[in-house]
Amino acid sequence: MSYHSPVLLKESVDALNIKEDGVYVDVTFGGGGHSREILSRLGEKGRLFAFDQDPDAQQNKIDDPRFVLIGENFRFISRFLRFYGVKKVNGVLADLGVSSHQFDEAERGFSTRFDADLDMRMDQKSELSGKKIINTYTEEQLSDILFLYGELRNARTLAKTIVEARAEKEIKTSFELKEVLQRFLPKAKEHKILAQIFQAIRIEVNQELEVLKEFLKQIPQLLNEDGRLSVISYHSLEDRLVKRFIRTGLFSGEPEKDFYGNTNEPMKKVGKMIVPTKEEIKENNRARSAKLRIATLK
Ligand SMILES: C[S@@+](CC[C@H](N)C(=O)[O-])C[C@H]1O[C@@H](n2cnc3c(N)ncnc32)[C@H](O)[C@@H]1O
């Protein structure tokens, strides 16, 4: 599969505990690897709704009467399902982040490997691009993003350097950004640091953490009694939100206790976190940071 090789395919779909006539949602359709696996386990009466905000994903649409592909952001999952008359589902799968296709298409600007416009929008209708962030955000905003989303310790210095450089000349491409920051990219760590910088910009462009929170908050109302949530994440910021939400129903703090000391978490975990086998990572290096968490209603 050249568009994207699905990660933790069997494990994440097993996690949905598929009922033949159930209704399922794959909120990150991409190349459709997970969707195809779900369809192969559904009977004639089963249904699968998929979301992808990237118009490129439409080229992988599956021709099957049980399948609907919705070209929207999954932050609106309940709203769009309601449009199709669906209020409750048996399972939701999310394989977060960017597809290999998005990384490999130079002009999308996601990759540190190519010189391209600093775009990084998954949804090309969106107003916010990497270029806009790099050239218009304040030094403090840039520093916050680099620190929080890129986990870069020298975020302040990097932000200051960007602001000084853009005062001379707009920073338009990935290689221009790399050049501006060159002195902070020692050869041995160049790739790692650049990847962190690009990750930070990408998360901000696509508002990935806010979107993930909005999505997770809708899940308890959306799932049937024994419905399942199966989420694959690729960096600790996402994984932390998923883990906390499953444990407490919140993204920060601890749940309030009632008079008797009981808390009211909406979900509970199913099994332990799952990571890819050594064999899978050897076959598909992009699986190396994947973490799968599974939950059901409490
Ligand atoms: C890691 S890929 C999924 C790959 C897919 N599971 C497969 O097997 O081919 C993530 C996909 O989700 C999409 N995506 C990411 N965030 C999204 C969001 N908030 N709303 C809709 N689609 C999103 C991306 O455009 C990308 O195509």
Side-chain angles (χ1 to χ4, degrees):
M1 212 180 281
S2 62
Y3 192 97
H4 185 86
S5 296
V7 171
L8 287 167
L9 180 62
K10 184 175 179 304
E11 296 85 340
S12 62
V13 177
D14 282 352
L16 294 172
N17 207 9
I18 296 212
K19 295 189 169 63
E20 280 199 6
D21 57 353
V23 180
Y24 292 87
V25 192
D26 172 0
V27 295
T28 48
F29 179 69
H34 289 90
S35 278
R36 272 189 202 86
E37 181 65 25
I38 295 171
L39 283 170
S40 76
R41 301 190 193 189
L42 283 176
E44 248 176 62
K45 292 209 175 107
R47 295 186 82 187
L48 173 63
F49 292 88
F51 284 76
D52 203 300
Q53 62 180 338
D54 184 348
D56 282 4
Q58 294 285 338
Q59 63 186 259
N60 307 312
K61 197 161 155 182
I62 304 167
D63 184 17
D64 187 309
R66 302 167 298 172
F67 177 75
V68 176
L69 178 57
I70 302 170
E72 298 287 344
N73 195 310
F74 64 64
R75 78 196 304 168
F76 306 121
I77 181 171
S78 304
R79 198 186 301 174
F80 281 100
L81 290 177
R82 241 181 288 130
F83 176 79
Y84 286 93
V86 174
K87 288 202 184 112
K88 295 274 178 192
V89 301
N90 299 89
V92 179
L93 179 133
D95 176 21
L96 300 170
V98 178
S99 68
S100 304
H101 168 80
Q102 288 162 331
F103 267 125
D104 295 341
E105 287 285 289
E107 71 271 19
R108 301 293 298 267
F110 284 104
S111 173
T112 59
R113 289 172 291 154
F114 314 115
D115 192 15
D117 242 30
L118 274 173
D119 187 333
M120 304 198 204
R121 289 171 304 168
M122 287 193 216
D123 170 6
Q124 285 110 334
K125 296 190 295 296
S126 146
E127 292 238 313
L128 192 59
S129 67
K131 193 157 70 182
K132 193 163 176 183
I133 290 170
I134 290 295
N135 291 288
T136 66
Y137 272 30
T138 63
E139 186 175 326
E140 197 181 354
Q141 284 174 311
L142 285 174
S143 166
D144 284 351
I145 293 170
L146 293 168
F147 184 72
L148 294 170
Y149 301 161
E151 303 182 272
L152 288 145
R153 288 212 194 157
N154 58 347
R156 278 180 162 198
T157 322
L158 295 174
K160 186 161 183 277
T161 310
I162 292 170
V163 170
E164 280 168 5
R166 79 184 188 198
E168 302 285 317
K169 186 170 152 277
E170 192 185 13
I171 303 168
K172 290 195 192 124
T173 71
S174 38
F175 280 14
E176 281 171 17
L177 179 62
K178 195 161 144 182
E179 201 180 301
V180 164
L181 300 176
Q182 198 63 57
R183 69 191 141 104
F184 305 104
L185 305 171
K187 259 278 158 271
K189 286 194 186 159
E190 177 174 313
H191 180 72
K192 183 168 179 277
I193 298 172
L194 266 182
Q196 283 171 275
I197 294 169
F198 274 53
Q199 170 178 297
I201 303 171
R202 193 198 94 198
I203 291 177
E204 178 66 12
V205 168
N206 298 290
Q207 299 285 303
E208 290 176 35
L209 301 181
E210 285 314 309
V211 167
L212 178 59
K213 287 187 201 170
E214 269 182 51
F215 159 74
L216 288 171
K217 278 196 267 182
Q218 296 171 66
I219 297 300
Q221 281 78 43
L222 205 54
L223 286 183
N224 274 330
E225 213 170 291
D226 52 357
R228 289 285 182 90
L229 171 70
S230 173
V231 185
I232 307 171
S233 59
Y234 294 86
H235 54 77
S236 55
L237 300 162
E238 282 172 345
D239 182 55
R240 228 175 282 154
L241 290 180
V242 176
K243 182 178 165 187
R244 282 200 125 258
F245 186 75
I246 293 174
R247 188 170 66 79
T248 64
L250 303 168
F251 301 111
S252 59
E254 286 299 318
E256 274 184 29
K257 292 192 173 138
D258 70 7
F259 183 73
Y260 301 101
N262 300 318
T263 51
N264 196 15
E265 306 83 17
M267 307 203 69
K268 64 179 181 208
K269 68 175 179 178
V270 174
K272 287 203 173 133
M273 180 187 79
I274 297 173
V275 295
T277 58
K278 275 194 209 112
E279 291 72 40
E280 177 168 3
I281 296 171
K282 209 163 136 200
E283 291 235 318
N284 178 9
N285 188 39
R286 284 180 176 158
R288 69 189 180 283
S289 49
K291 292 191 171 114
L292 168 65
R293 294 193 188 267
I294 308 159
T296 188
L297 293 182
K298 204 161 174 188

